[in-house]
């Protein structure tokens, strides 16, 4: 990589990582990967492992597609990307089953569903097909983190208000709502555990994000 | 380069090479990891059985330890048929063998895959909604059997049952351990494939399982009485278990699989004549008879009951 003119972490490359965290967040701005943000956010630990798995698939997929970008026939490029993503997901699933069986059990079907996560196909198509490998890796890391960030934030509020605590991988469940709150009549809100509450939380996040960054507001929208 | 990347032949060749490489890679990974994965599944089953016994020594056994101590605790592995007769009985001196190819040849209860059996059962249950003789014949033909594990620890006997059914989304299954009287629940482990996290998935957690402890599957007279999972917050009878909010269908599945399986296990426990079943058998009949002749005079009832 060093023979290239630009340094590894040039300003442009840094932007590849920082943009998806805020200005170009895959979930809240690009509106990709909403489906799994609704489903895998009931418990914090699932959200974290899911984020890591998506991050891995996204980075590897971006890298492979970027390396092959001059070889892939345009007629079947979507199929080729799909095959690469599917193969990566199966590898992740098999490795999890063999070496971290408990994690694979708690994620169950969601690992397989990474294939359908629109962020992955979206980034392969929009970025990796037209950029060099290193930039593609950074783009994968950035979007993976941006996705994971939303997942973790949504999961935090859902689990906190839905079941009164947060499950951290390796530590188990930490009860954050103190007992006396329950004694004076506080109750966990079951609705928070269901998918609709994710939509509400994501919407609130977008609201906060846009009010803090006016440049994101679409001037032409009525 | 002179290769025409837009041409059909390039596209075809590319696709073929890609499929061969990806297919070969996945086949290789799958076959190398298969033994480790199988070992995990086997150890997990052992762990579940051990944890379900309901004794302190094995309550917190880890998956890796389970394989080593399984045979120290589980002394018998029994396969029951639909009538509750023993089809095969292996002691812990017989090592666990790989599963037989044909289900009807299976002799090791450890290899009885109740989840697979349940899938075949659903076909039969749909075909014969009234159950009856044809349904039972179908069960026999399919080779549907019921595994039972016996644990002996410090002079006490435990019977661990294993059954499967459907939750809201996918398979659920459970292990329930009964005390030596064959009717009191002393331990349970439930698991699921894809119930909603935070709702139905809570059947694996302690509060749900704790409520099963001490519940009794037969009445004083020895009549089988299914355990019911009821909505949380309601007042519960001795055979009712506290359900989970937002997981009604998972609870319905738990009810169904327990009722279906325990109706078979109970036949076996009855035949063992544990504790007072030998006398209560007669009482069962009198209960049934007096029910059906409830219109008769008290005298006739008395006569029938004394028969």
């Amino acid at each position: 990589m060093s023979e290239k003119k630009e340094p590894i972490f040039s300003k442009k490359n840094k932007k590849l990582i920082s943009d998806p965290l805020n200005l170009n967040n895959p979930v809240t701005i690009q509106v990709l990967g909403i489906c799994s943000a609704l489903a895998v956010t009931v418990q914090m630990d699932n959200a974290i492992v899911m984020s890591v798995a998506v991050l891995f698939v996204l980075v590897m997929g971006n890298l492979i597609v970027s390396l092959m970008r001059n070889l892939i026939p345009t007629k079947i490029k979507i199929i080729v990307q799909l095959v690469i993503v599917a193969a990566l997901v199966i590898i992740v699933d098999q490795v999890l089953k063999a070496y971290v069986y408990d994690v694979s059990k708690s994620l169950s079907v969601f690992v397989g569903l990474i294939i359908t996560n629109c962020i992955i196909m979206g980034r392969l198509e929009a970025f990796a097909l037209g950029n060099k490998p290193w930039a593609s890796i950074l783009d994968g890391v950035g979007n993976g983190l941006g996705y994971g960030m939303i997942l973790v934030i949504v999961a935090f509020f859902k689990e906190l208000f839905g079941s009164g605590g947060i499950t951290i991988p390796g530590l188990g469940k930490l009860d954050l709502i103190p007992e006396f709150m329950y004694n004076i009549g506080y109750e966990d809100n079951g609705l928070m555990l269901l998918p609709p509450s994710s939509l509400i939380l994501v919407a609130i996040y977008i609201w906060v994000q846009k009010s803090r960054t006016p440049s994101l507001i679409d001037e032409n929208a009525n | 380069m002179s290769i025409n990347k837009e041409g059909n032949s390039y596209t075809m060749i590319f696709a073929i090479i890609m499929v061969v490489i990806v297919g070969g890679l996945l086949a290789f990974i799958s076959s190398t990891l298969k033994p480790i994965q199988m070992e995990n599944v086997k150890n997990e089953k052992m762990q579940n059985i051990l944890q379900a016994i309901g004794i302190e020594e094995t309550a917190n056994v880890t998956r890796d330890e389970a394989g080593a101590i399984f045979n120290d605790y589980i002394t018998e592995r029994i396969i029951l048929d639909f009538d509750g007769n023993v089809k095969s009985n292996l002691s812990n001196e017989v090592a666990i063998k790989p599963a037989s190819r044909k289900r009807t040849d299976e002799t090791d209860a450890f290899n009885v895959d109740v989840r697979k059996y349940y899938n075949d059962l659903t076909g039969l249950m749909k075909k014969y909604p009234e159950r009856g003789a044809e349904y039972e014949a179908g069960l026999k033909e399919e080779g549907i059997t019921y595994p039972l594990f016996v644990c002996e620890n410090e002079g006490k006997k435990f019977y661990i049952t294993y059954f499967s059914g459907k939750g809201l989304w996918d398979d659920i299954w459970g292990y329930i351990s009964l005390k030596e009287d064959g009717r009191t629940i002393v331990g349970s482990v439930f698991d699921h494939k894809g119930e909603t996290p935070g709702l139905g998935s809570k059947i694996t957690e302690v509060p749900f399982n704790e409520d099963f402890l001490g519940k009794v599957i037969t009445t004083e007279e020895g009549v089988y009485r299914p355990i019911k999972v009821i909505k949380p917050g309601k007042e519960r009878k001795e055979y009712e278990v506290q359900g989970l909010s937002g997981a009604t269908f998972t609870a319905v599945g738990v009810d169904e699989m327990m009722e279906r399986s325990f109706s078979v296990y109970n036949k076996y426990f009855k035949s063992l004549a544990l504790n007072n079943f030998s006398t209560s058998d007669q009482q069962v009949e009198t209960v049934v008879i007096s029910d059906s002749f409830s219109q008769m005079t008290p005298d006739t009832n008395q006569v029938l009951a004394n028969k």
Side-chain angles (χ1 to χ4, degrees):
Chain A
M1 297 290 151
S2 53
E3 67 224 31
K4 283 181 190 127
K5 278 166 218 156
E6 57 176 317
I8 290 181
F9 284 106
S10 65
K11 214 172 176 192
K12 207 174 106 206
N13 282 347
K14 271 189 196 145
K15 252 179 98 71
L16 284 175
I17 290 195
S18 62
D19 261 9
L21 292 180
N22 186 17
L23 294 176
N24 199 15
N25 188 287
V27 181
T28 61
I29 307 297
Q30 298 175 39
V31 202
L32 297 172
I34 284 276
C35 355
S36 56
L38 303 188
V40 211
T41 46
V42 175
Q43 278 172 328
M44 186 71 129
D45 53 350
N46 286 353
I48 292 174
V49 178
M50 183 70 177
S51 309
V52 173
V54 168
L55 183 69
F56 170 81
V57 172
L58 194 50
V59 171
M60 291 301 288
N62 259 1
L63 173 66
I64 294 171
V65 169
S66 171
L67 287 171
M68 290 168 59
R69 67 187 185 281
N70 295 325
L71 296 172
I72 297 174
T74 41
K75 278 182 203 160
I76 55 165
K77 62 177 180 179
I78 295 287
I79 298 174
V80 174
Q81 290 165 22
L82 199 61
V83 169
I84 292 170
V85 174
L88 283 169
V89 169
I90 293 171
I91 292 172
V92 169
D93 189 34
Q94 295 285 320
V95 170
L96 286 180
K97 264 190 194 144
Y99 296 108
V100 258
Y101 186 68
D102 299 315
V103 173
S104 101
K105 268 197 67 183
S106 73
L107 282 180
S108 62
V109 291
F110 295 121
V111 177
L113 289 179
I114 295 175
I115 301 174
T116 62
N117 192 323
C118 348
I119 293 179
I120 293 173
M121 289 297 282
R123 292 325 292 169
L124 295 189
E125 176 71 17
F127 195 90
L129 265 182
N131 285 282
K132 295 204 174 101
W134 177 241
S136 299
I137 291 179
L138 293 178
D139 180 73
V141 173
N143 280 283
L145 290 177
Y147 166 79
M149 186 180 78
I150 299 298
L151 231 60
V152 168
I153 290 172
V154 172
F156 178 82
F157 288 108
K158 280 184 81 168
E159 204 182 0
L160 179 63
F161 295 117
S163 34
I166 302 294
T167 42
I168 310 281
L171 287 176
K173 195 176 165 196
L174 307 173
D175 292 317
L176 293 182
I177 307 269
E179 195 61 42
F180 73 86
M181 291 281 283
Y182 291 100
N183 295 339
I184 59 170
Y186 174 84
E187 272 192 47
D188 291 330
N189 186 349
L191 179 68
M192 290 303 282
L193 295 174
L194 299 170
S197 68
S198 314
L199 277 179
I200 297 169
L201 283 168
V202 170
I204 292 174
Y205 184 92
I206 296 176
W207 177 23
V208 172
Q209 187 187 16
K210 290 206 169 171
S211 64
R212 288 182 46 163
T213 352
S215 64
L216 286 173
I217 297 168
D218 189 354
E219 296 290 333
N220 299 322
N222 43 2
Chain B
M1 271 194 276
S2 59
I3 306 170
N4 174 16
K5 281 195 195 145
E6 297 306 314
N8 283 342
S9 49
Y10 178 80
T11 307
M12 292 293 275
I13 292 167
F14 184 93
I16 291 168
I17 294 175
M18 176 183 75
V19 168
V20 169
I21 292 178
V22 171
L25 179 75
L26 290 183
F28 173 75
I29 287 179
S30 167
S31 59
T32 16
L33 295 179
K34 193 102 211 169
I36 310 175
Q37 293 169 352
M38 297 298 283
E39 192 69 19
N40 282 341
V41 172
K42 189 176 145 191
N43 284 343
E44 191 201 20
K45 189 171 176 182
M46 289 178 169
Q47 183 195 21
N48 284 338
I49 294 172
L50 289 174
Q51 285 176 338
I53 299 173
I55 51 175
E56 262 176 45
E57 291 92 322
T58 58
N60 294 313
V61 68
T62 66
R63 205 175 61 239
D64 297 327
E65 291 163 5
I69 62 164
F70 184 75
N71 278 341
D72 300 343
Y73 287 95
I74 304 299
T75 48
E76 285 174 75
R77 305 195 293 276
I78 301 171
I79 295 185
L80 301 176
D81 66 13
F82 184 76
D83 299 318
N85 301 320
V86 176
K87 215 184 123 208
S88 94
N89 184 351
L90 299 182
S91 84
N92 55 350
E93 280 147 35
V94 186
I96 292 170
K97 288 174 281 191
S100 302
R101 258 156 211 274
K102 246 180 91 185
R103 193 180 287 176
T104 38
D105 296 341
E106 188 57 67
T107 54
D108 194 335
F110 190 79
N111 292 328
V112 172
D113 187 347
V114 291
R115 284 175 61 191
K116 220 177 239 168
Y117 287 18
Y118 177 73
N119 286 333
D120 299 334
L121 256 180
T122 42
L124 282 170
M125 289 197 288
K126 260 185 210 143
K127 209 165 157 193
Y128 308 109
E130 305 285 315
R131 307 291 185 267
E134 277 169 318
Y135 169 74
E136 287 175 29
L139 287 179
K140 273 178 197 143
E141 201 176 309
E142 286 278 355
I144 305 284
T145 51
Y146 300 80
L148 180 71
F149 303 92
V150 181
C151 164
E152 266 169 70
N153 185 45
E154 292 168 355
K156 280 186 186 156
K157 238 183 180 182
F158 298 91
Y159 296 94
I160 300 112
T161 58
Y162 175 33
F163 42 81
S164 173
K166 269 258 171 315
L168 173 60
W169 304 113
D170 216 318
D171 291 4
I172 51 175
W173 58 96
Y175 303 82
I176 279 194
S177 164
L178 300 171
K179 220 159 68 171
E180 49 202 336
D181 62 2
R183 52 191 288 249
T184 315
I185 296 176
V186 287
S188 71
V189 167
F190 285 94
D191 211 343
H192 64 99
K193 192 177 169 199
E195 295 308 290
T196 324
L199 297 173
S201 78
K202 282 191 177 165
I203 61 166
T204 60
E205 291 173 12
V206 175
F208 181 73
N209 284 279
E210 226 167 31
D211 218 36
F212 278 85
L213 302 183
K215 299 283 143 83
V216 181
I217 60 161
T218 49
T219 61
E220 293 292 329
E221 291 83 32
V223 179
Y224 168 64
R225 180 177 59 190
I227 299 282
K228 282 267 168 269
V229 179
I230 61 158
K231 286 209 157 112
K234 279 192 189 167
E235 206 171 296
R236 280 163 287 145
K237 299 199 183 74
E238 54 188 345
Y239 55 89
E240 287 175 336
V241 173
Q242 165 114 35
L244 302 161
S245 338
T248 312
F249 280 92
T250 313
V252 169
V254 171
D255 276 350
E256 190 275 332
M257 70 177 175
M258 284 186 67
E259 185 167 355
R260 176 165 40 77
S261 318
F262 273 109
S263 63
V264 173
Y265 286 120
N266 201 47
K267 290 179 200 164
Y268 171 74
F269 292 131
K270 235 177 186 179
S271 74
L272 284 185
L274 304 157
N275 63 24
N276 55 0
F277 274 164
S278 48
T279 53
S280 61
D281 265 356
Q282 291 165 357
Q283 286 175 7
V284 177
E285 279 165 32
T286 58
V287 169
V288 174
I289 290 169
S290 49
D291 266 347
S292 49
F293 291 91
S294 54
Q295 299 298 324
M296 292 187 172
T297 59
D299 280 9
T300 342
N301 261 335
Q302 203 57 41
V303 173
L304 282 163
N306 289 338
K307 197 176 60 165

